[in-house]
Amino acid sequence: MDISPHKKRIATSIGLAILPALALFFQGWVLFTVLSLFSVLTLWEFYSMFRPVQSMTAFKSLGAAFTFLLLGAFTTGKVQYPAVVLLIAFWAAGFVFLVRYNKDVTASYRHAAIFLAGLIYIPLNFHFFLTMSPWGIILVILAAAASDTAAFYSGSLWGKKKIWPRVSPKKSWAGSIGGLTVCMGAVTAYGMTFGLAEVAWWKWLLLGALLNIAAQFGDFFESALKRTLDIKDSGVILPGHGGLLDRVDSLLLAAPTFGIISLFHPFFK
């Protein structure tokens, strides 16, 4: 039976929601395991975007190992542990580069830089989920989903004037404003229902705006990255969606945005 791309997109979105729902229900090591595995798969996909893939093989394996180490270091509550892991990752990449340079003086440091950028881009940003309450995690996912869904439909209906056609030809001002409006409304409704009573409504509106802007820029960043690499999707693992990175690009900036804001202003117990 033939399934339309739109129906595939909806079915995949529902399927993707099951894992975080289970992780939120069990918390603890379940959340850590799900987040770690998801980070490894997304990071592996990120490295695979840089051709030729064979030249990234050693760094892909290192990246998987350091993802678990980095996320595990954050669970200790010791600030210096994640810094030590990143420092070791830097010198591990340097060692691989030295070995390659010893064999071939034309060897480039490019792949070592990609390896380090991947660790910062994915597990380092994702670690903020480990610092959030279940209510905070749901809020961030809700904000990203509301932004993406509203932007898709409002852009499809009314989108004519494009924002950054060179970066993302399909994204329009109508889609952007629609996503912003719905995200602000969704975050405010959710926050006023489940958040701290002392948080004023206008603060939820402002938070919704900031999360939407972060989600949009996260999306734009990945779009520009794919264009520089001349690829359409980051992968093919998700029917109707493309790759994992195509689905979580907005979360990769929305999560640290909420995590950092929450350091200065709590929104949930």
Side-chain angles (χ1 to χ4, degrees):
M1 180 177 66
D2 246 359
I3 302 176
S4 69
H6 185 66
K7 288 181 179 177
K8 284 182 181 178
R9 186 181 180 91
I10 295 173
T12 303
S13 296
I14 294 171
L16 280 175
I18 294 173
L19 277 178
L22 286 173
L24 284 172
F25 180 79
F26 289 103
Q27 284 284 297
W29 68 269
V30 178
L31 176 61
F32 171 78
T33 302
V34 170
L35 186 64
S36 297
L37 290 174
F38 199 80
S39 297
V40 167
L41 291 173
T42 308
L43 184 64
W44 196 278
E45 196 175 81
F46 172 77
Y47 290 149
S48 297
M49 291 166 62
F50 295 87
R51 298 186 180 95
V53 175
Q54 294 80 0
S55 59
M56 285 299 298
T57 302
F59 286 119
K60 286 166 76 172
S61 300
L62 272 178
F66 275 103
T67 292
F68 281 99
L69 288 172
L70 185 59
L71 291 176
F74 277 110
T75 64
T76 65
K78 302 282 188 179
V79 178
Q80 63 268 35
Y81 286 4
V84 169
V85 172
L86 284 174
L87 189 61
I88 294 171
F90 174 83
W91 287 113
F95 177 75
V96 174
F97 166 68
L98 283 173
V99 171
R100 289 182 173 179
Y101 185 80
N102 184 55
K103 293 180 179 178
D104 180 6
V105 292
T106 63
S108 170
Y109 189 72
R110 177 175 178 265
H111 292 109
I114 293 169
F115 161 75
L116 293 168
L119 288 179
I120 295 171
Y121 182 35
I122 296 168
L124 186 60
N125 279 319
F126 267 153
H127 100 272
F128 281 96
F129 282 119
L130 296 174
T131 69
M132 299 177 196
S133 69
W135 298 113
I137 295 174
I138 294 171
L139 175 75
V140 173
I141 295 174
L142 172 67
S147 299
D148 182 58
T149 304
F152 176 79
Y153 285 108
S154 56
S156 299
L157 290 171
W158 304 294
K160 291 182 180 179
K161 189 172 179 57
K162 307 303 178 184
I163 302 178
W164 283 344
R166 184 174 293 179
V167 174
S168 188
K170 294 182 179 179
K171 288 185 174 60
S172 64
W173 280 105
S176 178
I177 294 170
L180 174 66
T181 304
V182 172
C183 181
M184 289 174 69
V187 167
T188 302
Y190 179 86
M192 295 294 289
T193 304
F194 301 108
L196 293 172
E198 57 266 28
V199 179
W201 63 269
W202 64 267
K203 292 183 179 180
W204 290 111
L205 270 179
L206 179 59
L207 178 64
L210 292 173
L211 290 178
N212 174 263
I213 292 169
Q216 289 198 51
F217 271 97
D219 197 348
F220 275 124
F221 172 77
E222 201 238 349
S223 293
L225 184 62
K226 288 189 293 187
R227 291 200 163 275
T228 63
L229 298 172
D230 195 27
I231 58 175
K232 183 179 182 296
D233 296 315
S234 63
V236 295
I237 194 172
L238 302 176
H241 286 265
L244 286 171
L245 187 56
D246 294 323
R247 284 296 82 215
V248 301
D249 51 5
S250 56
L251 286 174
L252 287 167
L253 188 52
T257 298
F258 179 71
I260 292 169
I261 291 173
S262 296
L263 290 174
F264 302 96
H265 189 298
F267 288 90
F268 300 98
K269 287 183 181 178

